[in-house]
C-alpha cells in the first residue's frame, strides 16, 4: 500500500507540473489571439488577459487526455532512470500491478473533472461568450425553458425578442410565435403574434399575424392590423440560430439532462448535447486508457535503449486515440453512429490496445 501511495504522489506531481507548463503556454497564445480578434480600441492588454483567463480552463479541460499521457511518460521515465521499477519488479510486484495506483489516480482525476472542473469550465465559457459579445456589440442569443424558447436578434434599429412555443429541428420554423420590437433606447415599439414564422433569406415569413404598434400611442388594440402573410426583415441565418445555443460545454453536466429534455420539448434536436453528455461520462475511462498507453511504451529500463523512440510512439498513440475520440464525436453528432459507440468505443479501444501491448512486453 505504501508503494502505491508513492506512485500516486509521483504521478500527481508530474501531472501538476505538466498542467502548469501547458496552462502558461495556452494563456499566452490565447491572449495574443484575443488581441488579434478584436479591435485594439475595444480590447487592450488587460481585456485580452481577462478573456484568455476565461477561455483557458476550457482549453485545458479538453487537453486533459494528452496531459495525462505526458504525465505518465514523465513518471515512468523518472522511475526508469532511478531504477525504481527494477527494484519494484525484484520485490515481486509485476508491472501490471504497479500500474494500479496511477490508473486509479487518473480515473479519480476524470471523476473530479466531471464533478468540479466541468461546472467551472461551463461558467467560465459562458462568461467568455458574454464578454466577447459585449466587445463585438452585435449578437443574438437563444435560451430554452419550460415556457418555450426565446431568441434575441440584434439589429441597427434596435432589438427584437422572439418567443415561441416550439420549433422545427434546425430552428428555422417557429410555431405560436411572438415578436417584441424595441428601439435602441430599450423602449417597446411593436408586438407581433403569428401562428408560425419561417426563416427565409433576409426575412421572417409570418403566417396569420397580428401587429400591435406602440409608437403611435393610444390604445394599441384599436390600431392593430391582421395579416394573412407578413415579411419581417431579419439578418439571422440557420447557422446563427444553431450557434446561439452555445457549446454543450457551456452547460454544467448536472444541468445537461434537464436541458436535453427542454430541447426535446421545444422541438430541437438534442443529439449534440447527448453525445457531449456521454463523452463527459466516459472521460475517466479515457484518462485511465491514456495512463496505460503511456506506460505501455515507457515502463522499461533505460538500458534497453531507444527511449526517444518509445516516447515518440507513446505520444503518437495517445494522439491517435484522442483524435479517434474527436472523430467519433463528430460522427455521433451527425447521427452516423450511435451515441454510446461514439462516446465509449475510443477509450475502451485504447485500454484494450495498451493492455495487449503490456501483456506482450511482460509475458511475450
Amino acid at each position: 500500500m505504501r508503494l502505491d501511495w508513492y506512485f500516486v504522489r509521483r504521478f500527481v506531481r508530474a501531472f501538476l507540473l505538466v498542467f502548469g507548463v501547458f496552462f502558461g503556454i495556452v494563456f499566452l497564445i490565447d491572449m495574443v489571439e484575443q488581441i488579434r480578434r478584436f479591435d485594439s480600441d475595444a480590447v487592450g492588454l488587460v481585456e485580452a488577459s481577462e478573456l484568455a483567463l476565461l477561455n483557458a480552463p476550457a482549453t485545458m479541460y479538453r487537453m486533459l487526455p494528452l496531459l495525462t499521457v505526458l504525465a505518465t511518460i514523465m513518471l515512468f521515465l523518472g522511475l526508469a532512470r532511478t531504477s525504481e521499477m527494477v527494484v519494484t519488479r525484484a520485490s515481486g510486484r509485476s508491472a501490471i500491478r504497479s500500474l494500479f495506483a496511477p490508473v486509479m489516480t487518473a480515473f479519480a482525476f476524470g471523476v473530479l473533472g466531471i464533478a468540479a472542473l466541468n461546472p467551472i469550465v461551463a461558467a467560465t465559457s459562458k462568461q467568455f461568450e458574454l464578454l466577447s459579445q459585449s466587445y463585438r456589440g452585435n449578437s443574438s442569443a437563444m435560451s430554452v425553458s419550460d415556457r418555450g424558447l426565446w431568441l434575441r436578434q440584434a439589429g441597427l434599429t434596435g432589438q427584437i425578442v422572439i418567443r415561441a412555443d416550439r420549433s422545427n429541428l434546425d430552428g428555422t420554423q417557429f410555431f405560436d410565435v411572438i415578436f417584441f420590437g424595441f428601439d435602441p433606447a430599450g423602449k417597446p415599439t411593436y408586438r407581433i403574434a403569428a401562428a408560425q414564422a419561417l426563416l427565409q433569406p433576409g426575412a421572417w415569413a409570418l403566417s396569420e399575424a397580428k401587429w400591435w404598434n406602440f409608437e403611435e400611442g393610444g390604445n394599441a388594440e384599436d390600431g392593430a392590423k391582421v395579416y394573412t402573410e407578413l415579411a419581417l426583415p431579419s439578418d439571422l441565418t440557420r447557422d446563427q440560430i444553431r450557434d446561439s445555443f452555445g457549446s454543450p460545454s457551456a452547460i454544467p453536466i448536472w444541468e445537461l439532462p434537464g436541458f436535453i429534455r427542454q430541447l426535446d420539448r421545444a422541438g430541437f434536436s438534442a443529439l449534440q448535447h447527448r453525445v457531449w453528455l456521454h463523452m463527459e461520462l466516459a472521460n475517466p475511462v479515457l484518462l485511465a486508457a491514456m495512463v496505460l498507453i503511456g506506460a505501455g511504451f515507457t515502463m522499461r529500463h533505460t538500458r534497453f535503449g531507444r527511449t526517444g523512440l518509445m516516447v515518440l510512439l507513446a505520444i503518437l498513440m495517445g494522439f491517435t486515440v484522442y483524435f479517434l475520440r474527436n472523430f467519433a464525436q463528430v460522427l455521433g453528432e451527425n447521427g452516423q453512429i450511435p451515441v454510446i459507440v461514439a462516446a465509449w468505443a475510443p477509450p475502451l479501444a485504447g485500454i484494450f490496445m495498451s493492455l495487449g501491448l503490456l501483456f506482450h512486453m511482460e509475458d511475450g
Side-chain angles (χ1 to χ4, degrees):
M1 180 60 70
R2 182 172 298 178
L3 185 59
D4 287 332
W5 281 113
Y6 176 73
F7 285 151
V8 168
R9 289 196 302 270
R10 290 287 298 266
F11 180 74
V12 171
R13 192 182 309 159
F15 184 86
L16 292 179
L17 178 60
V18 173
F19 187 93
V21 170
F22 274 85
F23 184 87
I25 295 173
V26 167
F27 172 75
L28 293 176
I29 294 176
D30 205 338
M31 184 172 63
V32 174
E33 176 64 18
Q34 301 308 325
I35 295 176
R36 187 192 65 82
R37 285 177 58 197
F38 296 96
D39 188 3
S40 59
D41 295 334
V43 175
L45 185 61
V46 175
E47 291 80 7
S49 300
E50 184 179 5
L51 288 170
L53 280 175
L54 291 173
N55 196 38
T59 304
M60 297 302 299
Y61 188 62
R62 292 193 296 268
M63 291 176 59
L64 280 181
L66 302 180
L67 300 181
T68 304
V69 171
L70 295 177
T72 304
I73 293 173
M74 182 177 176
L75 168 66
F76 286 106
L77 286 181
L79 294 175
R81 282 196 300 268
T82 58
S83 299
E84 289 173 279
M85 283 305 301
V86 175
V87 175
T88 300
R89 292 170 188 251
S91 66
R93 175 172 294 201
S94 67
I96 303 298
R97 175 64 181 85
S98 301
L99 278 173
F100 178 78
V103 168
M104 294 309 297
T105 304
F107 188 88
F109 280 161
V111 175
L112 182 63
I114 294 176
L117 190 56
N118 178 277
I120 295 175
V121 170
T124 55
S125 298
K126 186 177 296 184
Q127 187 63 32
F128 172 79
E129 290 297 330
L130 292 175
L131 197 57
S132 299
Q133 290 176 5
S134 68
Y135 290 143
R136 293 191 187 99
N138 190 7
S139 62
S140 63
M142 176 180 284
S143 65
V144 180
S145 67
D146 294 332
R147 300 180 180 179
L149 57 93
W150 295 82
L151 175 65
R152 177 173 57 85
Q153 172 186 328
L156 298 177
T157 59
Q159 300 280 342
I160 298 177
V161 176
I162 306 170
R163 187 267 178 193
D165 285 345
R166 51 193 172 84
S167 167
N168 63 348
L169 290 179
D170 59 0
T172 58
Q173 188 174 15
F174 294 160
F175 302 93
D176 296 327
V177 59
I178 301 176
F179 290 79
F180 300 93
F182 299 87
D183 62 15
K187 180 181 178 181
T189 56
Y190 64 85
R191 175 178 182 268
I192 304 174
Q196 67 178 20
L198 178 63
L199 181 62
Q200 297 178 345
W204 286 99
L206 310 181
S207 301
E208 301 178 17
K210 187 175 182 179
W211 183 312
W212 292 269
N213 195 335
F214 303 137
E215 293 181 320
E216 298 177 354
N219 191 340
E221 181 65 31
D222 293 339
K225 299 179 181 179
V226 178
Y227 300 89
T228 304
E229 294 182 354
L230 177 65
L232 187 65
S234 174
D235 57 357
L236 283 177
T237 63
R238 181 182 64 180
D239 293 337
Q240 288 175 330
I241 292 177
R242 183 188 59 194
D243 294 342
S244 63
F245 280 113
S247 172
S249 61
I251 304 173
I253 192 171
W254 310 113
E255 301 175 8
L256 200 53
F259 187 80
I260 290 173
R261 290 192 295 269
Q262 291 174 359
L263 283 178
D264 290 335
R265 284 195 294 267
F268 285 98
S269 173
L271 183 59
Q272 182 181 5
H273 295 77
R274 285 193 176 92
V275 171
W276 176 258
L277 175 61
H278 281 274
M279 286 284 182
E280 289 296 285
L281 295 178
N283 212 35
V285 180
L286 179 64
L287 297 188
M290 290 299 180
V291 172
L292 293 173
I293 290 172
F297 289 94
T298 57
M299 186 182 278
R300 56 201 300 274
H301 200 276
T302 54
R303 66 182 176 83
F304 293 140
R306 298 187 301 173
T307 301
L309 178 61
M310 292 296 105
V311 170
L312 178 61
L313 290 176
I315 295 175
L316 288 178
M317 187 171 178
F319 270 92
T320 300
V321 174
Y322 181 76
F323 285 116
L324 281 177
R325 174 179 179 265
N326 292 340
F327 182 65
Q329 180 179 358
V330 173
L331 294 179
E333 291 175 352
N334 292 330
Q336 302 296 321
I337 59 177
V339 173
I340 302 298
V341 175
W344 295 92
L348 291 178
I351 287 178
F352 292 142
M353 287 190 299
S354 54
L355 283 178
L357 176 62
L358 285 167
F359 287 139
H360 173 74
M361 292 179 61
E362 291 301 307
D363 301 326

